[in-house]
Amino acid sequence: MRLGVIADDFTGATDIAGFLVANGLRTVQLNGVPPEDLAVEADAVVVSLKTRSCPVEEAVSQSLAALRWLQARDCPQFFFKYCSTFDSTPKGNIGPVTDALLDTLGEDFTVICPVLPVNGRTIYNGYLFVNGVPLEESGMRHHPVTPMTDSNLMRLMDAQSRGKTGNVPSTVMDQGADAVRAALAALKAKGFRYAVLDALSDAHLVVMGQAVAEMKLVTGGSGLADGMARAWKTEADAASAAAEGRPAKGRAIVLSGSCSQMTNAQVAAYRAAAPALFVEVERSLGDAEAYARELADWVLAQPAGEWAPLVYATTEPAKLKEIQARFGAAEASEAVERVFGALARRLEAAGFDQFIVAGGETSGIVTQSLGIGGFHIGPQIAPGVPWVKAVGKPLSLALKSGNFGGERFFFEAQDLAA
């Protein structure tokens, strides 16, 4: 094992795993803290947790349990993976988990880098941008669980952690890995505990990957992992690394719980070509199993066609705000998740073996409801979104973070599985 990743949600885990496989690293994703006796043969292991928005104590406990499991297998380097839009309010879990990992590893300094230029996530002077727009002005401002109202990663990190955060600007990144290492050393000498790494381009990823090669713990998004893997200059073949996770042709369903801007566009494009049914929050708050049975009956009644049926809770920001005001944000989200979980179980029993899922929370509940303990990572459908194949079950899944992929993502996923 070359790298052990602790990811704070399911889609974030598949995101980083996809980039590792694309660089030729045989990668296995495990869902939840693995049992002590589990044997895994891989270049990289990604442990996916559901700790992004749970209570701090729970997030820290699970993350440390995952770290201990990886340490027991002589893993030399660790990566704490969170979303490329940070997804953590001032009371969030990224700071406390980072501090706990540093303490356990006996380290006192790491990097903060939620970056992915290929998907428009860049950092300039420590400020996070989404497709050229400051994070706080993007659709993430209206996220139902972690609304992002500040683009300054130093302020965000300082508000939820025990240390002080500095910045390595893009002008230093332009000078190469040695200059970045010197800047990191200078920040550490001045008493900083974390350093936000700027990144404006693909070239910056390789530079930062080289600069953190000897760091015991790094934290950030999948762009940083992409740079690290490329800096290792592995001779492995990406197609071979992805072979075990490649989906076979099967019976597909599309489930969408994300309300992000991109998922709204993806759902709109897909509804124009495929049968689609909206999940009603009020119905979800009642008998989840009964409502899931009704949704499953609708899916099964759809005639065979070119494109799989879509069941979606995706809605525009104004409608989402109205739903949250009426039913409560947490209550509405949890109710819809329960329905998606029950629906997934029913569809598996009916012979569906391909699940295309949009949204981190939705992906988590679907994966858990299907009883999947781990995945083999397959080919990427879009940057950060690979097909994955369940370990020990004949199921393939595409688990998509809300804003990932283009407007035709649902079509492209099915094309790749044909």
Side-chain angles (χ1 to χ4, degrees), residues 202-234:
D202 200 54
H204 284 164
L205 300 183
V206 178
V207 170
M208 66 175 61
Q210 295 169 340
V212 303
E214 303 302 320
M215 195 171 282
K216 191 76 171 178
L217 172 71
V218 297
T219 86
S222 55
L224 175 56
D226 184 28
M228 292 168 63
R230 281 192 276 168
W232 291 332
K233 296 179 180 177
T234 177

Side-chain angles (χ1 to χ4, degrees), residues 193-279:
R193 186 170 170 85
Y194 331 97
V196 173
L197 301 179
D198 277 10
L200 301 176
S201 66
D202 200 54
H204 284 164
L205 300 183
V206 178
V207 170
M208 66 175 61
Q210 295 169 340
V212 303
E214 303 302 320
M215 195 171 282
K216 191 76 171 178
L217 172 71
V218 297
T219 86
S222 55
L224 175 56
D226 184 28
M228 292 168 63
R230 281 192 276 168
W232 291 332
K233 296 179 180 177
T234 177
E235 299 299 324
D237 176 53
S240 297
E244 289 190 57
R246 182 173 293 280
K249 188 173 179 60
R251 194 174 185 187
I253 180 68
V254 182
L255 305 174
S256 180
S258 167
C259 292
S260 72
Q261 286 181 328
M262 180 51 73
T263 304
N264 267 285
Q266 291 161 342
V267 166
Y270 195 73
R271 284 175 58 198
L277 183 63
F278 183 67
V279 176

Side-chain angles (χ1 to χ4, degrees), residues 103-344:
D103 291 346
T104 302
L105 291 168
E107 300 288 320
D108 57 8
F109 185 80
T110 190
V111 296
I112 307 296
C113 191
V115 69
L116 189 56
V118 70
N119 278 354
R121 277 66 165 165
T122 56
I123 301 174
Y124 180 68
N125 288 341
Y127 286 78
L128 182 56
F129 290 79
V130 177
N131 295 320
V133 175
L135 176 66
E136 65 197 83
E137 298 177 20
S138 74
M140 285 301 301
R141 186 176 186 87
H142 305 291
H143 193 283
V145 180
T146 53
M148 301 308 298
T149 58
D150 193 353
S151 306
N152 187 301
L153 291 169
M154 287 85 75
R155 280 198 298 262
L156 286 167
M157 193 65 185
D158 285 354
Q160 58 180 260
S161 66
R162 296 204 311 265
K164 187 170 176 56
T165 314
N167 172 234
V168 179
S170 60
T171 52
V172 175
M173 206 67 61
D174 290 336
Q175 298 170 38
D178 287 341
V180 175
R181 279 190 285 265
L184 291 172
L187 286 173
K188 182 178 179 180
K190 291 178 182 177
F192 288 91
R193 186 170 170 85
Y194 331 97
V196 173
L197 301 179
D198 277 10
L200 301 176
S201 66
D202 200 54
H204 284 164
L205 300 183
V206 178
V207 170
M208 66 175 61
Q210 295 169 340
V212 303
E214 303 302 320
M215 195 171 282
K216 191 76 171 178
L217 172 71
V218 297
T219 86
S222 55
L224 175 56
D226 184 28
M228 292 168 63
R230 281 192 276 168
W232 291 332
K233 296 179 180 177
T234 177
E235 299 299 324
D237 176 53
S240 297
E244 289 190 57
R246 182 173 293 280
K249 188 173 179 60
R251 194 174 185 187
I253 180 68
V254 182
L255 305 174
S256 180
S258 167
C259 292
S260 72
Q261 286 181 328
M262 180 51 73
T263 304
N264 267 285
Q266 291 161 342
V267 166
Y270 195 73
R271 284 175 58 198
L277 183 63
F278 183 67
V279 176
E280 300 173 22
V281 173
E282 192 164 7
R283 296 288 309 281
S284 301
L285 288 164
D287 187 335
E289 288 292 340
Y291 189 30
R293 185 186 313 116
E294 183 180 319
L295 296 173
D297 288 344
W298 176 85
V299 172
L300 293 169
Q302 300 311 302
E306 183 178 7
W307 304 113
L310 164 68
V311 179
Y312 68 102
T314 303
T315 190
E316 297 287 347
K319 180 64 175 176
L320 176 63
K321 189 174 182 180
E322 178 187 322
I323 289 171
Q324 291 175 336
R326 183 179 175 191
F327 300 109
E331 291 80 2
S333 177
E334 290 169 5
V336 170
E337 282 183 30
R338 285 194 296 271
V339 169
F340 273 122
L343 175 59

